[in-house]
Amino acid sequence: MRLLDSDLQAIQEVRSSLAEAKAAQKQLEKLTQQQVDRIIAAMAAAAEEHAERLGLLAVEETGFGKPADKKAKNLFVARDVYASIKEMKTVGIIGKDEARQIWEVAQPVGVVAAIVPSTNPTSTVLFKCMIALKARNAIVISPHPSALRCSQETAKLMRHSAEEAGAPPGLIHCLSVPSIEACGELMKHRLTDVILATGGAGMVKAAYSSGKPAYGVGPGNVPVFVHRSADIPRAVSRILQSKTFDYGTICASEQAIVADQPIKSRLVEELKRQGAYLLNEREKRQIAELILRGNGLNPRIVGKSPQAIADMAGISVPLETSVLVAEEKGVGLDYPFSVEKLSPILALYTVNDCLEGGRLCTELLELGGLGHTLGIHCGDEAVIEAFGLELPASRIIVNAGTTFGGIGATTGILPSMTLGCGAYGGNITSDNIGPQHLMNLKRVAFGIRDMQVEHEAAERLARQVIGTRQLGISREEVLDIVKSVLSQMKLG
Ligand SMILES: CC(=O)SCCNC(=O)CCNC(=O)[C@H](O)C(C)(C)COP(=O)(O)OP(=O)(O)OC[C@H]1O[C@@H](n2cnc3c(N)ncnc32)[C@H](O)[C@@H]1OP(=O)(O)O
Ligand SMILES: NC(=O)C1=CN([C@@H]2O[C@H](COP(=O)(O)OP(=O)(O)OC[C@H]3O[C@@H](n4cnc5c(N)ncnc54)[C@H](O)[C@@H]3O)[C@@H](O)[C@H]2O)C=CC1
């Protein structure tokens, strides 16, 4: 394979960024907790101040989503993520377990290689910079080519605010020439210590194949089961609010409603009443043709309004339409509504009971979101428990929108823009990622008990007894007697 000049230039940039980042990280490592916390506070404040501007840039450049919601995602990082990591100890001895006599010492991993999705190109950069530096790491970001400028601008803001607050220069880099080769070089280079990769399945595979420790977190295809015991108006309002947020670009947003038969017609009425548009068979076919491009998702519909998508398909929908809904029966690439759509389009399935519901949700997760997120609207705790125990999702969000629930904005889950899919999804963790994943814990462990070497002690005693030659019994019998005496002494 021959590389173009621009590729060589990109690879050179990766190497120089990593070298600078490595040197700066060595300096950062020497700062106190107070100094690190001051830097993170400054980064959060800058993120808050520029949330709107960066959100707008992201929409202008990628054409995905809504400015107000991109701003909200940036604010979520600046406020919620910041609040959750603010008090976290990440320097020196961060815990002393008196009972077990263990001290835990925080050790940064070094340089983080961060891969960022095109769907959250500013919020994920803010997020990864903050959690990397909080754990005293440097970071080199590989942006998506369609979000190059806004990701770069965000990284620049993070770098300036960190440096102004006392961070060593050169801790944060964002590549200016995105190329698959450069991204590969970044992931494999000896100066990279850990990969933090957020995106689709292909990229996650590339991250895990690099030979470096990697947190690769993959795509979602979130089903939401609405049980007969659910509060229907409330469930519908939560689902629609969640699904319309940023025109459906969050990986945890609902992709399919799985309705329990007895409440199906009430659910449909409520969906219509609250602004969803139910596609007829002809309209459904027209939209279906738009969803896939080859075997992948068509970027033209990603993060677009329902009206724009309807326009593309040559149909017209009311101005107030918030989501396009199509009744679907099958699951797989032959049924385009069943895939992750990253847009305000929902599939609607009907099942006879929760057993069938659980099976269908599993099929949908298996199609493209294994281990990611599942929603359930239900008033029956036994059903919730069964879904929690049996379904292959790392986050089971109950009576809340999955977009906000999954990222930890409306649930008690750790606020994060990077959601692990566990072994189900081929990921190393099912956690929401935070600074704790970007540091190693060293353990200083004191001796607290003597090793019991009963067998050896018994052998020794038995040998002594046999040595006196005054007993008419075998060596084995003597050994048993000694062992039993020793164990009784221990019990006493
Ligand atoms: C079938 C299903 O289940 S689909 C549901 C699962 N969902 C997914 O997997 C979503 C994954 N992501 C995507 O499909 C897409 O990124 C979308 C639809 C969100 C956006 O699509 P696009 O804007 O066209 O971006 P995409 O990532 O496909 O890349 C566009 C081009 O940039 C290239 N590119 C991607 N990353 C880089 C990079 N770091 N450096 C250089 N080039 C890159 C791609 O190779 C592609 O080139 P090509 O057009 O020559 O093939
Ligand atoms: N689990 C999670 O926390 C999240 C998952 N996602 C998922 O991400 C997807 C949307 O994001 P996209 O930008 O479309 O994903 P994508 O996988 O196309 O791109 C993600 C990043 O990887 C890079 N990349 C792509 N292919 C690569 C390869 N072969 N080698 C090296 N780098 C490569 C891209 O340039 C980009 O920076 C959705 O499927 C969504 O569910 C998005 C956000 C959060």
Side-chain angles (χ1 to χ4, degrees):
M1 178 183 62
R2 285 197 59 228
L3 295 180
L4 303 172
D5 278 356
S6 60
D7 290 334
L8 290 174
Q9 202 187 325
I11 287 176
Q12 200 47 48
E13 187 190 19
V14 170
R15 292 177 184 163
S16 60
S17 302
L18 280 170
E20 251 190 66
K22 191 63 147 191
Q25 193 275 328
K26 291 285 168 217
Q27 298 305 313
L28 178 67
E29 205 170 311
K30 295 180 190 151
L31 301 194
T32 63
Q33 185 75 66
Q34 234 182 358
Q35 288 171 314
V36 170
D37 289 349
R38 202 176 315 127
I39 294 167
I40 306 304
M43 292 166 78
E48 178 152 2
E49 190 187 335
H50 293 267
E52 183 166 357
R53 179 176 69 87
L54 296 174
L56 194 60
L57 276 182
V59 176
E60 282 171 0
E61 189 176 0
T62 61
F64 297 163
K66 301 179 204 172
D69 293 347
K70 293 277 188 218
K71 174 185 172 186
K73 280 200 264 193
N74 293 338
L75 284 178
F76 165 73
V77 177
R79 293 175 182 161
D80 297 37
V81 171
Y82 175 60
S84 77
I85 66 173
K86 192 175 161 201
E87 306 292 335
M88 194 182 281
K89 283 193 184 175
T90 53
V91 179
I93 297 176
I94 62 166
K96 281 191 177 177
D97 182 332
E98 297 299 341
R100 292 190 300 143
Q101 285 288 292
I102 292 176
W103 299 347
E104 288 183 334
V105 180
Q107 180 67 30
V109 289
V111 179
V112 177
I115 325 291
V116 173
S118 54
T119 44
N120 307 322
T122 55
S123 47
T124 302
V125 170
L126 295 173
F127 170 71
K128 292 192 174 181
C129 288
M130 278 168 54
I131 64 166
L133 266 65
K134 173 74 185 186
R136 289 182 298 155
N137 300 295
I139 181 167
V140 179
I141 297 154
S142 170
H144 191 282
S146 69
L148 174 64
R149 277 175 292 121
C150 65
S151 289
Q152 271 195 313
E153 187 60 25
T154 311
K156 201 165 91 188
L157 176 76
M158 289 293 92
R159 181 169 168 158
H160 284 161
S161 57
E163 288 177 8
E164 269 186 9
L171 274 178
I172 298 174
H173 293 262
C174 182
L175 303 179
S176 63
V177 192
S179 84
I180 295 283
E181 285 73 20
C183 191
E185 173 75 4
L186 173 65
M187 295 200 277
K188 288 190 195 110
H189 196 279
R190 71 184 162 79
L191 292 178
T192 290
D193 295 294
V194 70
I195 301 169
L196 189 51
T198 314
M203 185 277 302
V204 169
K205 186 156 183 267
Y208 282 130
S209 311
S210 70
K212 289 285 178 178
Y215 289 105
V217 304
N221 189 25
V222 181
V224 53
F225 178 57
V226 185
H227 186 243
R228 59 195 70 182
S229 64
D231 175 337
I232 306 298
R234 205 177 106 153
V236 167
S237 119
R238 297 276 152 91
I239 292 169
L240 293 183
Q241 189 198 28
S242 171
K243 180 65 186 173
T244 52
F245 183 74
D246 206 28
Y247 290 140
T249 56
I250 288 213
C251 56
S253 72
E254 290 85 350
Q255 302 297 334
I257 298 179
V258 177
D260 203 358
Q261 174 62 50
I263 50 92
K264 155 77 182 304
S265 55
R266 263 201 301 144
L267 181 84
V268 169
E269 280 319 302
E270 200 57 41
L271 278 167
K272 287 183 187 160
R273 201 181 65 79
Q274 294 193 33
Y277 183 82
L278 271 287
L279 299 164
N280 64 31
E281 275 307 311
R282 178 185 54 80
E283 293 166 334
K284 182 183 159 190
R285 273 196 304 278
Q286 281 165 277
I287 298 281
E289 277 174 25
L290 272 181
I291 296 178
L292 295 176
R293 186 185 63 177
N295 278 344
L297 184 60
N298 178 1
R300 284 180 65 216
I301 63 159
V302 173
K304 296 292 187 304
S305 71
Q307 291 74 15
I309 296 170
D311 262 2
M312 285 178 223
I315 61 180
S316 89
V317 297
L319 208 58
E320 61 278 12
T321 299
S322 58
V323 174
L324 304 173
V325 181
E327 289 221 38
E328 189 53 275
K329 291 208 164 53
V331 175
L333 286 179
D334 293 336
Y335 306 91
F337 285 91
S338 66
V339 308
E340 182 193 39
K341 296 163 287 293
L342 298 173
S343 55
I345 303 176
L346 271 172
L348 171 64
Y349 294 87
T350 308
V351 291
N352 287 317
D353 52 31
C354 51
L355 268 184
E356 216 180 276
R359 274 199 295 272
L360 184 62
C361 288
T362 303
E363 266 186 73
L364 287 160
L365 287 165
E366 281 170 351
L367 177 64
L370 254 188
H372 204 295
T373 301
L374 165 95
I376 176 165
H377 291 268
C378 180
D380 181 338
E381 208 169 303
V383 176
I384 296 168
E385 187 178 319
F387 270 64
L389 287 174
E390 288 171 32
L391 267 79
S394 303
R395 283 153 290 274
I396 289 95
I397 307 301
V398 183
N399 297 330
T402 53
T403 300
F404 309 116
I407 63 172
T410 57
T411 55
I413 297 178
L414 186 80
S416 177
M417 292 305 290
T418 291
L419 318 182
C421 303
Y424 287 127
N427 299 171
I428 188 66
T429 180
S430 55
D431 290 350
N432 279 17
I433 302 291
Q436 67 276 25
H437 297 97
L438 301 178
M439 59 189 188
N440 289 150
L441 287 188
K442 300 196 286 191
R443 292 186 173 84
V444 180
F446 294 76
I448 53 171
R449 57 183 164 258
D450 284 329
M451 191 66 189
Q452 298 285 336
V453 276
E454 280 172 31
H455 183 70
E456 279 174 25
E459 277 276 359
R460 216 169 29 246
L461 263 174
R463 250 184 273 119
Q464 281 173 10
V465 173
I466 291 167
T468 66
R469 293 175 196 279
Q470 288 166 0
L471 298 172
I473 52 177
S474 72
R475 178 185 169 281
E476 280 68 34
E477 284 168 311
V478 173
L479 193 57
D480 281 347
I481 294 165
V482 172
K483 274 187 185 166
S484 118
V485 170
L486 277 177
S487 89
Q488 278 173 31
M489 279 167 61
K490 204 170 86 187
L491 285 176

